Amino acid sequence: MEKLMVKSLYDLSHTAASPLLSAVCYPWEALPLIKDFILSLIEKLDREEYIEFGDNVFIHKSATVAKTASISGPAIIGAETEVRHCAFIRGSALIGKNCVVGNSTELKNVILFDNVQVPHYNYVGDSILGYRSHMGAGAITSNVKSDKTLVTVSADEKIETGLKKFGAMLGDYVEVGCGSVLNPGTVIGKNTNIYPLSSVRGFVPEGSIYKRYGEVAQKR
């Protein structure tokens, strides 16, 4: 289904994960590969540009990291990115340039494209956030179903992912309103806005405004 493919959701010129994502059809297929991919990138990093912050944790010299942040590897944090007070990065995190990882935000097994903002009390797990996407305060990804069964993606038909852990795929320029929950297997097309306090599931088309389940308008 083309609308769910990497090529429909992302401009790969805005991430160091381009080789990984260009090798898969659907973006969630990259989730089990993120850790090993980051480790392969670490081997090639310019040690004049990146500081080794801990075991397999490398931070660009121009990035700002609060002393109270907790970062586990493997992780790479790009140029001019800001990691704020009490951020919790649990590993397998590839964070691009000019990003904001905010106060008490938690990341795990993620790819953040350049200029992504998760600035206030966000949880992002087993997810990929496209270029200039933004999650409002308290917006989270839910990455495991309550019945612990494998995640499916619902679009025109259900697609089996074979994954137990799968949060959300956000296309480029997606805006997620405050307090929203992106349920397991959520895929949001480019240039889409999600209303605050939404519970989102399945596929939301490109260029949409998601108001509530069953009420999605196209942008004019």
Side-chain angles (χ1 to χ4, degrees), residues 129-201:
L129 276 55
Y131 179 64
R132 288 193 179 276
S133 59
H134 170 262
M135 294 182 68
I140 65 169
T141 65
S142 173
N143 60 334
V144 179
K145 294 173 66 176
S146 59
D147 61 7
K148 307 301 187 290
T149 57
L150 299 181
V151 177
T152 60
V153 176
S154 296
D156 298 328
E157 58 188 67
K158 283 190 176 181
I159 299 178
E160 302 288 342
T161 70
L163 299 172
K164 184 177 179 181
K165 294 184 177 182
F166 172 174
M169 305 289 117
L170 272 58
D172 297 338
Y173 299 99
V174 166
E175 288 280 343
V176 179
C178 297
S180 294
V181 176
L182 308 181
N183 289 283
T186 294
V187 180
I188 302 176
K190 291 180 179 179
N191 299 296
T192 287
N193 290 57
I194 306 297
Y195 267 23
L197 301 177
S198 295
S199 177
V200 187
R201 174 182 315 277

